[in-house]
Amino acid sequence: MIDKQTSDIQNKKLITFSLAIVPLAMVLGNSMLIPELPNLAEVLGVSNFEIGLLITFFSLSGGLSIPILGYLSDKYNRKRILIYSLLIYGTGGIIAGLLALLNNPQIYSYILFARIIQGFGAGGTYPLAIALAGDIFNPQNRKQILGILEAANAFGKVVSPFLGALIALFFWPGLFFIYAILTLPLAIIIYYFIPEPQPSTIKINFKDYLIQITTIITDKGSSFILYLATSIVVLFILFGVLSFVSETLSTVYNIYGLTKAGLIAIPIIAMVITAYLMGLYLKRNNPQLNYLLSSGLLLDAISLLTLPFLDGLILYLVLIACVGIANGIVLTVLNTIITSSSSESYRGGLTSIYSSMRFLGIALGPPVFTLLNQISTFTMFAIPALIAMILSLFAFFI
């Protein structure tokens, strides 16, 4: 452990603060853009489906990069791979921002490419920050640090809609430049102030690493596949609903700016509070996790099936808050299951798979919801609700 090198309290605080900014920066990658997607579509002269691809391509790239960057961090140097990831993330933001300054509708496809670059870097941020915290701090301090990182992640989810709306009020290309403003100085701070972990002794090549991951999934069986499917579906639902709500608040209720950001934050705040309370409940009790998982998915399904029949902003906001509560239950249970159902030697592989699936769910949400909405609003909500209900039944009978 490198904890001996961090005995100085001020140094520990600096390390903790630096690592905590990493998940905050990652969350901004998508959540900050959600309130502004309709405005960006108008400015760039593209459809709602096309503007949703700014979320999709970023998340797909991030999901694909997680196992690659995770492997490289194990084989070479976790700190350096984290720094490179932050630099890539920030560079993608600079490219997208400079392209946005051209204010040319034809530039959309190039901004999309810049988002792919960003996503690749984002995949190596939060997962590697968690792993680096595990390298640096001893077991006694590690739980506290990981709790701080998770709190930073939650804080980012809450403030990102407001930050996105505030930046767009003054300078919409700043939505992309902000990533570099955060990540590039952070990379420098980590380089100078985060201690180097012990050199890795891993000798496995990438092909064998992929085979090992496949073996993990096979060994864990159908229950683990259910957990992965559930992680995809709940993030798919959350970001699909958020993108639809963003459009609806603008086109139906004529709500914009910070007010709109505050309303979009409702399901996210509900999810964060629920996750925190669920964490306390699980710490003090020993419930059947599959029943909780099933209940959360069922609440998701009921909320989605009710949404198309509502005609009033207050009831609408209550129901999307229920979606946030449902996802808070499900994700907390999934986090517990994934991190506690494997030995330490397999935990890194399992968490990287799990993180990739979450990115995939985020990627699918906005474009699929947009396509389904072209059929009908009921179809857009009913199909995800049906999938959630099926998963709920499977979870109940595991």
Side-chain angles (χ1 to χ4, degrees):
M1 289 294 161
I2 310 177
D3 216 31
K4 295 177 182 178
Q5 301 176 21
T6 58
S7 57
D8 181 77
I9 294 176
Q10 294 300 321
N11 197 26
K12 283 185 178 180
K13 287 182 177 179
L14 180 59
I15 293 171
T16 302
F17 175 77
S18 302
L19 292 178
I21 299 299
V22 176
L24 175 63
M26 188 200 75
V27 169
L28 295 179
N30 280 324
S31 300
M32 191 176 66
L33 293 182
I34 290 288
E36 299 306 315
L37 288 180
N39 295 334
L40 290 176
E42 184 177 348
V43 170
L44 295 173
V46 297
S47 67
N48 288 330
F49 174 80
E50 289 173 309
I51 204 64
L53 295 180
L54 291 179
I55 305 296
T56 299
F57 279 46
F58 175 94
S59 301
L60 282 177
S61 177
L64 291 172
S65 74
I66 286 174
I68 298 172
L69 295 173
Y71 166 76
L72 292 175
S73 76
D74 282 339
K75 185 172 183 179
Y76 297 107
N77 182 294
R78 212 179 313 276
K79 172 182 167 180
R80 291 180 187 175
I81 300 301
L82 174 57
I83 290 172
Y84 294 151
S85 298
L86 289 167
L87 293 175
I88 292 170
Y89 190 1
T91 300
I94 291 174
I95 295 171
L98 291 174
L99 290 169
L101 287 175
L102 299 178
N103 203 21
N104 185 338
Q106 301 301 319
I107 217 67
Y108 162 77
S109 59
Y110 297 102
I111 293 179
L112 206 57
F113 179 73
R115 289 285 289 170
I116 294 173
I117 296 173
Q118 275 193 289
F120 188 88
T125 53
Y126 190 23
L128 294 190
I130 292 175
L132 192 56
D135 294 337
I136 294 173
F137 294 96
N138 61 35
Q140 184 178 2
N141 291 324
R142 191 181 302 150
K143 290 182 180 179
Q144 180 186 7
I145 302 305
L146 292 178
I148 292 172
L149 295 188
E150 187 60 37
N153 183 277
F155 177 74
K157 287 185 175 75
V158 173
V159 302
S160 53
F162 295 98
L163 181 60
L166 189 62
I167 292 172
L169 281 175
F170 299 99
F171 182 58
W172 74 266
L175 290 168
F176 301 111
F177 284 118
I178 190 65
Y179 301 119
I181 293 173
L182 273 174
T183 58
L184 299 185
L186 180 58
I188 296 172
I189 291 172
I190 289 175
Y191 178 80
Y192 282 106
F193 296 105
I194 300 294
E196 289 279 357
Q198 295 294 332
S200 175
T201 58
I202 188 171
K203 300 299 181 182
I204 188 172
N205 60 46
F206 189 66
K207 179 181 178 181
D208 292 336
Y209 178 77
L210 293 178
I211 293 173
Q212 186 182 69
I213 288 179
T214 305
T215 303
I216 292 171
I217 297 175
T218 304
D219 290 345
K220 286 293 174 183
S222 58
S223 61
F224 186 64
I225 294 175
L226 171 66
Y227 301 143
L228 294 181
T230 301
S231 67
I232 295 173
V233 169
V234 292
L235 271 302
F236 159 73
I237 289 173
L238 177 65
F239 275 82
V241 167
L242 287 176
S243 63
F244 176 75
V245 169
S246 178
E247 182 186 354
T248 301
L249 290 175
S250 298
T251 58
V252 177
Y253 295 103
N254 294 315
I255 297 174
Y256 301 93
L258 292 176
T259 302
K260 177 182 175 181
L263 297 180
I264 289 176
I266 287 175
I268 301 173
I269 294 171
M271 184 178 73
V272 169
I273 294 173
T274 303
Y276 174 75
L277 295 176
M278 278 296 298
L280 293 179
Y281 174 73
L282 294 177
K283 182 179 180 180
R284 297 171 183 172
N285 300 277
N286 189 29
Q288 289 286 336
L289 293 179
N290 58 316
Y291 293 160
L292 286 174
L293 190 64
S294 177
S295 300
L297 287 165
L298 184 60
L299 177 58
D300 239 339
I302 293 172
S303 302
L304 290 172
L305 286 174
T306 308
L307 279 168
F309 302 103
L310 295 180
D311 186 19
L313 182 59
I314 301 300
L315 288 176
Y316 190 78
L317 295 175
V318 169
L319 261 294
I320 64 172
C322 288
V323 172
I325 292 170
N327 285 10
I329 295 171
V330 172
L331 290 175
T332 305
V333 172
L334 284 177
N335 290 343
T336 303
I337 291 173
I338 296 297
T339 55
S340 62
S341 65
S342 63
S343 63
E344 189 172 342
S345 58
Y346 285 119
R347 192 167 294 143
L350 287 173
T351 53
S352 77
I353 298 168
Y354 175 54
S355 298
S356 294
M357 294 304 102
R358 289 173 58 128
F359 266 88
L360 178 60
I362 296 170
L364 292 173
V368 173
F369 265 66
T370 300
L371 291 175
L372 292 175
N373 193 31
Q374 292 176 3
I375 301 173
S376 70
T377 302
F378 177 76
T379 302
M380 179 185 65
F381 288 119
I383 290 180
L386 178 61
I387 296 172
M389 198 170 294
I390 292 171
L391 289 175
S392 175
L393 289 173
F394 277 118
F396 186 84
F397 290 108
I398 291 179

